[in-house]
Amino acid sequence: MSNGTQSALRGSPREPGNQRAAFGGIEKSAVRTTAERPDFTSIQQSAEFRSLRRRLKWFVFPATAFFLIWYLGYVLAAAYFPEQLAKPVYGEVNVGLLLGIGQFVTTVGLTTLYVRFARRHIDPRVDEIREQAGEFDR
């Protein structure tokens, strides 16, 4: 470990005369200082923000309901119908194993769909709202 890393981990300044030196020599804060903060109440009450929330709920609630029904259906089937889940499909692979793997596939699939949905529909609108609120310095 270098002396700079050791001093940063101990919390002491890297150089005895420089009290502002930080880990890696970065002396500037990543936080921007602005004269005033955006009016979050007016943003929340704006038509654009309400439309954005409706659009997000349109995806999130049905996807969540679908996954919960699918997951609970699998658990209930395993609890109450073990003989059907034990039926072999191919060799040692049975219906229960395929449904269990399907849980993982569904999780990855829903995550992928959400990321794509957010990138195409949510993120651009969030950027517009932030720009209107003066959060971006352009």
Side-chain angles (χ1 to χ4, degrees), residues 11-90:
S12 61
R14 179 186 285 189
E15 302 164 14
N18 186 357
Q19 296 297 323
R20 292 187 44 111
F23 183 71
I26 300 170
E27 297 182 16
K28 295 175 80 176
S29 172
V31 178
R32 292 186 312 254
T33 57
T34 58
E36 59 183 64
R37 296 176 50 93
D39 184 6
F40 294 113
T41 305
S42 65
I43 293 170
Q44 185 178 9
Q45 294 171 353
S46 71
E48 295 89 4
F49 185 78
R50 287 195 311 267
S51 172
L52 176 66
R53 296 274 304 189
R54 274 193 305 274
R55 180 74 182 215
L56 184 62
K57 287 178 186 178
W58 176 85
F59 182 89
V60 170
F61 287 137
T64 302
F66 165 75
F67 188 77
L68 286 176
I69 291 168
W70 163 229
Y71 174 74
L72 291 175
Y74 174 67
V75 171
L76 291 173
Y80 293 106
F81 306 108
E83 60 279 352
Q84 279 79 16
L85 296 182
K87 289 183 180 176
V89 175
Y90 180 77

Side-chain angles (χ1 to χ4, degrees), residues 56 59-60 109-119 122-123:
L56 184 62
F59 182 89
V60 170
L110 278 175
T111 302
T112 303
L113 285 174
Y114 175 74
V115 168
R116 183 179 299 159
F117 171 78
R119 189 179 317 124
I122 302 301
D123 294 345

